[in-house]
Amino acid sequence: MKRILLLLSAAALFSCNQSSRQEEARDSLKEDAAKLKEDLKSAAGNAGDYLDEQKKQATEAINERIKQIDQTADELKKEGTEKSKTALKELEELKVEMNKKMKDIKSSSADAWDSTRKATDELMRKSDKEWTEFKQNFKDLFKKD
């Protein structure tokens, strides 16, 4: 009988210790989960800020090229020659493509950003090449540049 009482007492004591350990473990898990949640929020915020900065840089680059196109188009409109009309047409086509890419950038989600950025970089390289070729082909239309 004493042995049974001793075993029951030991089992009760053991189960009490287990409960406090389980509570400590549960509290620790809750704290870890809360910290993880905060870390995820912070990472998401940083990723969002990074995406916004990338979009801003791409938009600024395209806006700068469009500004150059507009300035050049204004000069060509004053010329009125057949060659300047041809040049204007080329510039307008480039500008349409740049504006389309600008819309893509603004509406791009984080999931699609990598492909959008790649396409934007390709467009900028293409526009740099076309811009250089354009200036070479129509250099006689410009006094400066």
Side-chain angles (χ1 to χ4, degrees), residues 2 4 6-7 21 23 27 32 35 40 58 66 75-77 90 92 96 98 108 115 117 119 121-122 134 139 143:
K2 286 183 181 181
I4 293 176
L6 185 60
L7 284 173
R21 286 186 194 147
E23 285 181 36
D27 290 343
D32 291 346
K35 185 177 182 325
L40 285 173
I66 289 172
E75 291 177 31
L76 289 173
K77 287 176 185 175
E90 288 182 23
E92 285 302 316
V96 166
M98 301 295 275
S108 179
S115 62
R117 179 171 180 154
D121 290 345
E122 289 173 11
F134 174 81
K139 65 183 173 188
K143 280 101 179 136

Side-chain angles (χ1 to χ4, degrees), residues 70-109:
D70 288 340
Q71 289 173 345
T72 304
D74 288 343
E75 291 177 31
L76 289 173
K77 287 176 185 175
K78 293 175 187 173
E79 286 287 320
T81 64
E82 194 60 38
K83 192 168 186 173
S84 66
K85 289 177 184 177
T86 302
L88 267 171
K89 184 178 178 189
E90 288 182 23
L91 286 176
E92 285 302 316
E93 289 172 3
L94 182 58
K95 185 177 176 181
V96 166
E97 197 172 348
M98 301 295 275
N99 280 320
K100 182 178 181 274
K101 185 51 61 184
M102 182 85 73
K103 288 179 185 175
D104 290 348
I105 289 170
K106 289 180 181 180
S107 65
S108 179
S109 67

Side-chain angles (χ1 to χ4, degrees), residues 8-50:
L8 288 175
S9 297
L13 184 61
F14 181 73
S15 68
C16 289
N17 283 339
Q18 285 294 353
S19 294
S20 67
R21 286 186 194 147
Q22 288 174 347
E23 285 181 36
E24 288 175 9
R26 198 174 308 126
D27 290 343
S28 177
L29 284 174
K30 285 181 183 178
E31 289 173 11
D32 291 346
K35 185 177 182 325
L36 180 61
K37 184 178 178 181
E38 287 302 314
D39 290 347
L40 285 173
K41 283 182 183 178
S42 176
N46 290 342
D49 292 344
Y50 176 76

Side-chain angles (χ1 to χ4, degrees), residues 58-70:
T59 301
E60 287 174 354
I62 291 174
N63 277 331
E64 182 60 33
R65 181 54 45 89
I66 289 172
K67 183 180 172 184
Q68 291 172 338
I69 290 170
D70 288 340

